[in-house]
mmCIF file of all heavy atoms in Angstrom:
data_model
loop_
_atom_site.group_PDB
_atom_site.id
_atom_site.type_symbol
_atom_site.label_atom_id
_atom_site.label_comp_id
_atom_site.label_asym_id
_atom_site.label_seq_id
_atom_site.Cartn_x
_atom_site.Cartn_y
_atom_site.Cartn_z
ATOM 1 N N VAL A 1 112.091 115.912 92.121
ATOM 2 C CA VAL A 1 112.105 116.156 93.575
ATOM 3 C C VAL A 1 112.548 117.545 93.907
ATOM 4 O O VAL A 1 112.967 117.822 95.071
ATOM 5 C CB VAL A 1 113.010 115.109 94.282
ATOM 6 C CG1 VAL A 1 112.392 113.725 94.184
ATOM 7 C CG2 VAL A 1 114.403 115.115 93.730
ATOM 8 N N THR A 2 112.427 118.506 93.010
ATOM 9 C CA THR A 2 112.801 119.862 93.272
ATOM 10 C C THR A 2 111.538 120.760 93.398
ATOM 11 O O THR A 2 110.452 120.366 92.989
ATOM 12 C CB THR A 2 113.697 120.473 92.141
ATOM 13 O OG1 THR A 2 112.914 120.572 90.953
ATOM 14 C CG2 THR A 2 114.933 119.650 91.927
ATOM 15 N N ASP A 3 111.750 121.945 93.874
ATOM 16 C CA ASP A 3 110.623 122.910 94.007
ATOM 17 C C ASP A 3 110.149 123.385 92.658
ATOM 18 O O ASP A 3 109.024 123.810 92.542
ATOM 19 C CB ASP A 3 111.063 124.109 94.837
ATOM 20 C CG ASP A 3 111.268 123.741 96.307
ATOM 21 O OD1 ASP A 3 110.692 122.747 96.761
ATOM 22 O OD2 ASP A 3 112.041 124.463 96.999
ATOM 23 N N GLY A 4 111.001 123.347 91.649
ATOM 24 C CA GLY A 4 110.617 123.818 90.331
ATOM 25 C C GLY A 4 110.013 122.729 89.448
ATOM 26 O O GLY A 4 109.900 122.907 88.227
ATOM 27 N N TRP A 5 109.564 121.641 90.059
ATOM 28 C CA TRP A 5 109.052 120.534 89.297
ATOM 29 C C TRP A 5 107.899 120.913 88.376
ATOM 30 O O TRP A 5 107.808 120.474 87.235
ATOM 31 C CB TRP A 5 108.694 119.361 90.152
ATOM 32 C CG TRP A 5 107.869 118.313 89.451
ATOM 33 C CD1 TRP A 5 106.637 117.889 89.751
ATOM 34 C CD2 TRP A 5 108.272 117.598 88.298
ATOM 35 N NE1 TRP A 5 106.224 116.920 88.894
ATOM 36 C CE2 TRP A 5 107.232 116.720 87.944
ATOM 37 C CE3 TRP A 5 109.417 117.549 87.480
ATOM 38 C CZ2 TRP A 5 107.253 115.883 86.863
ATOM 39 C CZ3 TRP A 5 109.467 116.694 86.409
ATOM 40 C CH2 TRP A 5 108.408 115.852 86.087
ATOM 41 N N GLU A 6 106.917 121.714 88.861
ATOM 42 C CA GLU A 6 105.753 122.030 88.047
ATOM 43 C C GLU A 6 106.123 122.688 86.753
ATOM 44 O O GLU A 6 105.581 122.353 85.692
ATOM 45 C CB GLU A 6 104.719 122.850 88.824
ATOM 46 C CG GLU A 6 103.805 122.003 89.642
ATOM 47 C CD GLU A 6 103.901 122.321 91.097
ATOM 48 O OE1 GLU A 6 104.247 123.485 91.459
ATOM 49 O OE2 GLU A 6 103.668 121.391 91.924
ATOM 50 N N GLN A 7 107.065 123.593 86.775
ATOM 51 C CA GLN A 7 107.505 124.259 85.559
ATOM 52 C C GLN A 7 108.212 123.277 84.650
ATOM 53 O O GLN A 7 107.999 123.238 83.415
ATOM 54 C CB GLN A 7 108.390 125.456 85.851
ATOM 55 C CG GLN A 7 107.658 126.609 86.446
ATOM 56 C CD GLN A 7 108.603 127.752 86.835
ATOM 57 O OE1 GLN A 7 109.708 127.516 87.227
ATOM 58 N NE2 GLN A 7 108.154 128.958 86.585
ATOM 59 N N ALA A 8 109.090 122.502 85.201
ATOM 60 C CA ALA A 8 109.820 121.482 84.452
ATOM 61 C C ALA A 8 108.859 120.467 83.878
ATOM 62 O O ALA A 8 108.963 120.062 82.709
ATOM 63 C CB ALA A 8 110.888 120.842 85.292
ATOM 64 N N ARG A 9 107.863 120.053 84.666
ATOM 65 C CA ARG A 9 106.897 119.068 84.215
ATOM 66 C C ARG A 9 106.175 119.510 82.964
ATOM 67 O O ARG A 9 106.003 118.748 81.991
ATOM 68 C CB ARG A 9 105.894 118.785 85.300
ATOM 69 C CG ARG A 9 104.852 117.713 84.920
ATOM 70 C CD ARG A 9 103.672 117.735 85.834
ATOM 71 N NE ARG A 9 103.052 119.028 85.773
ATOM 72 C CZ ARG A 9 102.409 119.590 86.782
ATOM 73 N NH1 ARG A 9 102.358 119.000 87.946
ATOM 74 N NH2 ARG A 9 101.869 120.781 86.656
ATOM 75 N N ASP A 10 105.794 120.756 82.940
ATOM 76 C CA ASP A 10 105.031 121.279 81.753
ATOM 77 C C ASP A 10 105.906 121.196 80.508
ATOM 78 O O ASP A 10 105.419 120.883 79.450
ATOM 79 C CB ASP A 10 104.572 122.709 82.014
ATOM 80 C CG ASP A 10 103.498 122.756 83.116
ATOM 81 O OD1 ASP A 10 102.940 121.708 83.471
ATOM 82 O OD2 ASP A 10 103.276 123.846 83.624
ATOM 83 N N ARG A 11 107.174 121.530 80.649
ATOM 84 C CA ARG A 11 108.124 121.417 79.512
ATOM 85 C C ARG A 11 108.343 120.018 79.071
ATOM 86 O O ARG A 11 108.403 119.687 77.902
ATOM 87 C CB ARG A 11 109.441 122.025 79.863
ATOM 88 C CG ARG A 11 109.760 123.385 79.425
ATOM 89 C CD ARG A 11 109.548 123.701 77.966
ATOM 90 N NE ARG A 11 110.785 123.576 77.148
ATOM 91 C CZ ARG A 11 110.869 122.788 76.103
ATOM 92 N NH1 ARG A 11 109.908 122.098 75.643
ATOM 93 N NH2 ARG A 11 111.983 122.748 75.452
ATOM 94 N N VAL A 12 108.426 119.108 80.055
ATOM 95 C CA VAL A 12 108.631 117.649 79.764
ATOM 96 C C VAL A 12 107.392 117.117 79.062
ATOM 97 O O VAL A 12 107.522 116.356 78.083
ATOM 98 C CB VAL A 12 108.971 116.891 81.041
ATOM 99 C CG1 VAL A 12 108.975 115.377 80.796
ATOM 100 C CG2 VAL A 12 110.303 117.347 81.585
ATOM 101 N N VAL A 13 106.222 117.444 79.565
ATOM 102 C CA VAL A 13 104.973 117.012 78.905
ATOM 103 C C VAL A 13 104.965 117.483 77.441
ATOM 104 O O VAL A 13 104.598 116.725 76.529
ATOM 105 C CB VAL A 13 103.734 117.520 79.656
ATOM 106 C CG1 VAL A 13 102.447 117.325 78.848
ATOM 107 C CG2 VAL A 13 103.587 116.814 81.014
ATOM 108 N N ALA A 14 105.312 118.726 77.206
ATOM 109 C CA ALA A 14 105.352 119.259 75.878
ATOM 110 C C ALA A 14 106.314 118.436 74.983
ATOM 111 O O ALA A 14 106.008 118.171 73.794
ATOM 112 C CB ALA A 14 105.757 120.718 75.851
ATOM 113 N N PHE A 15 107.443 118.040 75.528
ATOM 114 C CA PHE A 15 108.395 117.222 74.737
ATOM 115 C C PHE A 15 107.782 115.881 74.390
ATOM 116 O O PHE A 15 107.821 115.417 73.244
ATOM 117 C CB PHE A 15 109.722 117.054 75.506
ATOM 118 C CG PHE A 15 110.607 116.054 74.768
ATOM 119 C CD1 PHE A 15 111.379 116.497 73.704
ATOM 120 C CD2 PHE A 15 110.712 114.719 75.196
ATOM 121 C CE1 PHE A 15 112.197 115.616 73.025
ATOM 122 C CE2 PHE A 15 111.576 113.892 74.507
ATOM 123 C CZ PHE A 15 112.300 114.282 73.424
ATOM 124 N N PHE A 16 107.198 115.185 75.411
ATOM 125 C CA PHE A 16 106.670 113.861 75.177
ATOM 126 C C PHE A 16 105.434 113.822 74.278
ATOM 127 O O PHE A 16 105.096 112.769 73.712
ATOM 128 C CB PHE A 16 106.370 113.161 76.516
ATOM 129 C CG PHE A 16 107.551 112.525 77.112
ATOM 130 C CD1 PHE A 16 108.227 113.135 78.147
ATOM 131 C CD2 PHE A 16 108.004 111.278 76.673
ATOM 132 C CE1 PHE A 16 109.362 112.548 78.696
ATOM 133 C CE2 PHE A 16 109.126 110.672 77.231
ATOM 134 C CZ PHE A 16 109.809 111.324 78.245
ATOM 135 N N THR A 17 104.710 114.971 74.164
ATOM 136 C CA THR A 17 103.504 114.975 73.356
ATOM 137 C C THR A 17 103.659 115.837 72.103
ATOM 138 O O THR A 17 102.644 116.256 71.561
ATOM 139 C CB THR A 17 102.339 115.537 74.206
ATOM 140 O OG1 THR A 17 102.681 116.882 74.630
ATOM 141 C CG2 THR A 17 102.052 114.666 75.409
ATOM 142 N N ARG A 18 104.838 116.042 71.656
ATOM 143 C CA ARG A 18 105.088 116.868 70.463
ATOM 144 C C ARG A 18 104.129 116.504 69.347
ATOM 145 O O ARG A 18 104.151 115.384 68.809
ATOM 146 C CB ARG A 18 106.537 116.653 69.976
ATOM 147 C CG ARG A 18 107.549 117.071 70.957
ATOM 148 C CD ARG A 18 108.997 116.749 70.531
ATOM 149 N NE ARG A 18 109.248 115.828 69.443
ATOM 150 C CZ ARG A 18 109.264 114.477 69.551
ATOM 151 N NH1 ARG A 18 109.031 113.947 70.707
ATOM 152 N NH2 ARG A 18 109.550 113.735 68.511
ATOM 153 N N GLY A 19 103.271 117.447 68.979
ATOM 154 C CA GLY A 19 102.402 117.328 67.847
ATOM 155 C C GLY A 19 101.242 116.339 68.083
ATOM 156 O O GLY A 19 100.500 116.048 67.097
ATOM 157 N N ARG A 20 101.043 115.842 69.267
ATOM 158 C CA ARG A 20 99.967 114.884 69.512
ATOM 159 C C ARG A 20 99.036 115.477 70.530
ATOM 160 O O ARG A 20 99.260 115.359 71.772
ATOM 161 C CB ARG A 20 100.511 113.554 69.955
ATOM 162 C CG ARG A 20 101.344 112.859 68.864
ATOM 163 C CD ARG A 20 101.809 111.490 69.289
ATOM 164 N NE ARG A 20 102.396 111.406 70.607
ATOM 165 C CZ ARG A 20 103.695 111.555 70.878
ATOM 166 N NH1 ARG A 20 104.548 111.888 69.908
ATOM 167 N NH2 ARG A 20 104.151 111.401 72.086
ATOM 168 N N ASP A 21 97.972 116.112 70.093
ATOM 169 C CA ASP A 21 97.041 116.748 71.006
ATOM 170 C C ASP A 21 96.266 115.666 71.788
ATOM 171 O O ASP A 21 96.061 114.569 71.313
ATOM 172 C CB ASP A 21 96.016 117.573 70.237
ATOM 173 C CG ASP A 21 96.671 118.829 69.612
ATOM 174 O OD1 ASP A 21 97.709 119.273 70.135
ATOM 175 O OD2 ASP A 21 96.154 119.297 68.550
ATOM 176 N N GLY A 22 95.869 116.007 72.983
ATOM 177 C CA GLY A 22 95.069 115.118 73.805
ATOM 178 C C GLY A 22 95.833 114.131 74.633
ATOM 179 O O GLY A 22 95.247 113.431 75.434
ATOM 180 N N GLU A 23 97.171 114.054 74.496
ATOM 181 C CA GLU A 23 97.933 113.104 75.269
ATOM 182 C C GLU A 23 98.619 113.776 76.470
ATOM 183 O O GLU A 23 99.158 113.077 77.315
ATOM 184 C CB GLU A 23 99.003 112.471 74.385
ATOM 185 C CG GLU A 23 98.457 111.586 73.303
ATOM 186 C CD GLU A 23 99.534 110.895 72.492
ATOM 187 O OE1 GLU A 23 100.673 110.745 73.016
ATOM 188 O OE2 GLU A 23 99.286 110.503 71.370
ATOM 189 N N GLY A 24 98.515 115.092 76.572
ATOM 190 C CA GLY A 24 99.176 115.780 77.643
ATOM 191 C C GLY A 24 98.746 115.357 79.039
ATOM 192 O O GLY A 24 99.567 115.185 79.911
ATOM 193 N N GLU A 25 97.440 115.185 79.237
ATOM 194 C CA GLU A 25 96.957 114.755 80.558
ATOM 195 C C GLU A 25 97.443 113.393 80.932
ATOM 196 O O GLU A 25 97.770 113.148 82.089
ATOM 197 C CB GLU A 25 95.428 114.804 80.585
ATOM 198 C CG GLU A 25 94.850 116.221 80.508
ATOM 199 C CD GLU A 25 93.354 116.240 80.530
ATOM 200 O OE1 GLU A 25 92.715 115.190 80.776
ATOM 201 O OE2 GLU A 25 92.783 117.337 80.333
ATOM 202 N N VAL A 26 97.543 112.491 79.940
ATOM 203 C CA VAL A 26 98.018 111.137 80.229
ATOM 204 C C VAL A 26 99.482 111.163 80.634
ATOM 205 O O VAL A 26 99.860 110.548 81.641
ATOM 206 C CB VAL A 26 97.832 110.214 78.981
ATOM 207 C CG1 VAL A 26 98.489 108.878 79.214
ATOM 208 C CG2 VAL A 26 96.349 110.061 78.712
ATOM 209 N N VAL A 27 100.320 111.891 79.890
ATOM 210 C CA VAL A 27 101.738 111.962 80.215
ATOM 211 C C VAL A 27 101.926 112.665 81.522
ATOM 212 O O VAL A 27 102.751 112.246 82.355
ATOM 213 C CB VAL A 27 102.487 112.720 79.075
ATOM 214 C CG1 VAL A 27 103.947 112.976 79.490
ATOM 215 C CG2 VAL A 27 102.446 111.903 77.764
ATOM 216 N N GLN A 28 101.159 113.729 81.774
ATOM 217 C CA GLN A 28 101.278 114.444 83.068
ATOM 218 C C GLN A 28 100.936 113.501 84.212
ATOM 219 O O GLN A 28 101.658 113.501 85.258
ATOM 220 C CB GLN A 28 100.376 115.657 83.094
ATOM 221 C CG GLN A 28 100.545 116.490 84.361
ATOM 222 C CD GLN A 28 99.807 117.813 84.298
ATOM 223 O OE1 GLN A 28 99.635 118.355 83.244
ATOM 224 N NE2 GLN A 28 99.443 118.307 85.450
ATOM 225 N N ALA A 29 99.940 112.706 84.064
ATOM 226 C CA ALA A 29 99.550 111.739 85.122
ATOM 227 C C ALA A 29 100.647 110.722 85.342
ATOM 228 O O ALA A 29 100.951 110.350 86.471
ATOM 229 C CB ALA A 29 98.241 111.093 84.811
ATOM 230 N N GLU A 30 101.261 110.231 84.274
ATOM 231 C CA GLU A 30 102.337 109.275 84.363
ATOM 232 C C GLU A 30 103.566 109.879 85.053
ATOM 233 O O GLU A 30 104.209 109.255 85.897
ATOM 234 C CB GLU A 30 102.765 108.738 82.996
ATOM 235 C CG GLU A 30 101.667 107.940 82.336
ATOM 236 C CD GLU A 30 101.906 107.616 80.865
ATOM 237 O OE1 GLU A 30 102.730 108.347 80.239
ATOM 238 O OE2 GLU A 30 101.336 106.681 80.374
ATOM 239 N N LEU A 31 103.860 111.131 84.734
ATOM 240 C CA LEU A 31 104.952 111.826 85.396
ATOM 241 C C LEU A 31 104.689 112.012 86.878
ATOM 242 O O LEU A 31 105.574 111.793 87.699
ATOM 243 C CB LEU A 31 105.223 113.192 84.718
ATOM 244 C CG LEU A 31 105.868 113.154 83.363
ATOM 245 C CD1 LEU A 31 105.746 114.475 82.660
ATOM 246 C CD2 LEU A 31 107.360 112.731 83.482
ATOM 247 N N GLU A 32 103.469 112.395 87.224
ATOM 248 C CA GLU A 32 103.139 112.600 88.622
ATOM 249 C C GLU A 32 103.153 111.311 89.393
ATOM 250 O O GLU A 32 103.577 111.280 90.594
ATOM 251 C CB GLU A 32 101.782 113.280 88.773
ATOM 252 C CG GLU A 32 101.829 114.733 88.355
ATOM 253 C CD GLU A 32 102.838 115.562 89.143
ATOM 254 O OE1 GLU A 32 102.994 115.361 90.394
ATOM 255 O OE2 GLU A 32 103.456 116.424 88.529
ATOM 256 N N GLU A 33 102.735 110.196 88.761
ATOM 257 C CA GLU A 33 102.781 108.883 89.386
ATOM 258 C C GLU A 33 104.278 108.488 89.639
ATOM 259 O O GLU A 33 104.652 108.001 90.723
ATOM 260 C CB GLU A 33 102.139 107.788 88.528
ATOM 261 C CG GLU A 33 102.135 106.417 89.188
ATOM 262 C CD GLU A 33 101.394 105.404 88.294
ATOM 263 O OE1 GLU A 33 100.630 105.786 87.390
ATOM 264 O OE2 GLU A 33 101.632 104.212 88.545
ATOM 265 N N SER A 34 105.100 108.733 88.625
ATOM 266 C CA SER A 34 106.524 108.450 88.778
ATOM 267 C C SER A 34 107.163 109.307 89.879
ATOM 268 O O SER A 34 107.980 108.836 90.663
ATOM 269 C CB SER A 34 107.290 108.669 87.471
ATOM 270 O OG SER A 34 106.964 107.711 86.537
ATOM 271 N N ARG A 35 106.723 110.553 89.932
ATOM 272 C CA ARG A 35 107.240 111.461 90.957
ATOM 273 C C ARG A 35 106.866 110.967 92.372
ATOM 274 O O ARG A 35 107.691 110.924 93.273
ATOM 275 C CB ARG A 35 106.707 112.858 90.773
ATOM 276 C CG ARG A 35 107.212 113.841 91.817
ATOM 277 C CD ARG A 35 106.689 115.254 91.568
ATOM 278 N NE ARG A 35 107.335 116.202 92.429
ATOM 279 C CZ ARG A 35 106.884 116.569 93.615
ATOM 280 N NH1 ARG A 35 105.753 116.054 94.064
ATOM 281 N NH2 ARG A 35 107.509 117.465 94.315
ATOM 282 N N ALA A 36 105.620 110.530 92.538
ATOM 283 C CA ALA A 36 105.199 110.011 93.817
ATOM 284 C C ALA A 36 105.972 108.731 94.170
ATOM 285 O O ALA A 36 106.438 108.596 95.337
ATOM 286 C CB ALA A 36 103.702 109.698 93.779
ATOM 287 N N ASP A 37 106.222 107.860 93.218
ATOM 288 C CA ASP A 37 107.037 106.666 93.491
ATOM 289 C C ASP A 37 108.434 107.054 93.851
ATOM 290 O O ASP A 37 109.039 106.471 94.767
ATOM 291 C CB ASP A 37 107.055 105.778 92.213
ATOM 292 C CG ASP A 37 105.745 105.129 91.891
ATOM 293 O OD1 ASP A 37 104.813 105.132 92.746
ATOM 294 O OD2 ASP A 37 105.589 104.609 90.767
ATOM 295 N N LEU A 38 108.995 108.041 93.176
ATOM 296 C CA LEU A 38 110.363 108.465 93.408
ATOM 297 C C LEU A 38 110.524 109.097 94.825
ATOM 298 O O LEU A 38 111.447 108.798 95.546
ATOM 299 C CB LEU A 38 110.828 109.462 92.342
ATOM 300 C CG LEU A 38 112.258 109.922 92.416
ATOM 301 C CD1 LEU A 38 113.214 108.806 92.245
ATOM 302 C CD2 LEU A 38 112.477 111.002 91.362
ATOM 303 N N VAL A 39 109.589 109.934 95.189
ATOM 304 C CA VAL A 39 109.625 110.591 96.483
ATOM 305 C C VAL A 39 109.501 109.527 97.578
ATOM 306 O O VAL A 39 110.250 109.589 98.573
ATOM 307 C CB VAL A 39 108.525 111.710 96.612
ATOM 308 C CG1 VAL A 39 108.346 112.154 98.041
ATOM 309 C CG2 VAL A 39 108.825 112.843 95.663
ATOM 310 N N ALA A 40 108.557 108.621 97.414
ATOM 311 C CA ALA A 40 108.402 107.567 98.448
ATOM 312 C C ALA A 40 109.649 106.695 98.515
ATOM 313 O O ALA A 40 110.092 106.327 99.621
ATOM 314 C CB ALA A 40 107.196 106.695 98.088
ATOM 315 N N ALA A 41 110.264 106.424 97.383
ATOM 316 C CA ALA A 41 111.484 105.566 97.387
ATOM 317 C C ALA A 41 112.633 106.292 98.057
ATOM 318 O O ALA A 41 113.371 105.700 98.853
ATOM 319 C CB ALA A 41 111.875 105.220 95.940
ATOM 320 N N ARG A 42 112.767 107.593 97.758
ATOM 321 C CA ARG A 42 113.843 108.331 98.350
ATOM 322 C C ARG A 42 113.646 108.459 99.848
ATOM 323 O O ARG A 42 114.580 108.419 100.656
ATOM 324 C CB ARG A 42 113.990 109.710 97.706
ATOM 325 C CG ARG A 42 114.448 109.543 96.298
ATOM 326 C CD ARG A 42 115.520 110.520 95.924
ATOM 327 N NE ARG A 42 116.068 110.171 94.591
ATOM 328 C CZ ARG A 42 116.450 111.049 93.759
ATOM 329 N NH1 ARG A 42 116.408 112.322 94.051
ATOM 330 N NH2 ARG A 42 116.963 110.690 92.580
ATOM 331 N N ASP A 43 112.377 108.721 100.298
ATOM 332 C CA ASP A 43 112.094 108.810 101.731
ATOM 333 C C ASP A 43 112.392 107.517 102.430
ATOM 334 O O ASP A 43 112.820 107.496 103.600
ATOM 335 C CB ASP A 43 110.632 109.212 101.949
ATOM 336 C CG ASP A 43 110.322 110.665 101.593
ATOM 337 O OD1 ASP A 43 111.318 111.435 101.397
ATOM 338 O OD2 ASP A 43 109.147 110.998 101.483
ATOM 339 N N ALA A 44 112.198 106.366 101.737
ATOM 340 C CA ALA A 44 112.439 105.074 102.377
ATOM 341 C C ALA A 44 113.849 104.561 102.159
ATOM 342 O O ALA A 44 114.227 103.489 102.606
ATOM 343 C CB ALA A 44 111.457 104.049 101.787
ATOM 344 N N GLY A 45 114.669 105.353 101.432
ATOM 345 C CA GLY A 45 116.049 104.952 101.126
ATOM 346 C C GLY A 45 116.091 103.776 100.158
ATOM 347 O O GLY A 45 117.034 103.031 100.087
ATOM 348 N N ASP A 46 115.092 103.662 99.314
ATOM 349 C CA ASP A 46 114.942 102.579 98.357
ATOM 350 C C ASP A 46 115.551 102.996 97.020
ATOM 351 O O ASP A 46 114.847 103.498 96.152
ATOM 352 C CB ASP A 46 113.480 102.191 98.204
ATOM 353 C CG ASP A 46 113.200 101.054 97.253
ATOM 354 O OD1 ASP A 46 114.166 100.514 96.686
ATOM 355 O OD2 ASP A 46 112.050 100.692 97.089
ATOM 356 N N GLU A 47 116.846 102.816 96.902
ATOM 357 C CA GLU A 47 117.551 103.228 95.687
ATOM 358 C C GLU A 47 117.128 102.405 94.475
ATOM 359 O O GLU A 47 117.202 102.874 93.351
ATOM 360 C CB GLU A 47 119.103 103.165 95.927
ATOM 361 C CG GLU A 47 119.573 104.214 96.869
ATOM 362 C CD GLU A 47 119.305 105.611 96.395
ATOM 363 O OE1 GLU A 47 119.468 105.926 95.198
ATOM 364 O OE2 GLU A 47 118.966 106.491 97.249
#
């Protein structure tokens, strides 16, 4: 939920896909889905 998420996301994707080519897009999509869920939850006060 920070402005620097895109840079952090790329580093996180690299960690989750260490040595496994072709999985980066899947992990990135999962992270973005989680981010959208998190932003919506925080906006709604849904802890």
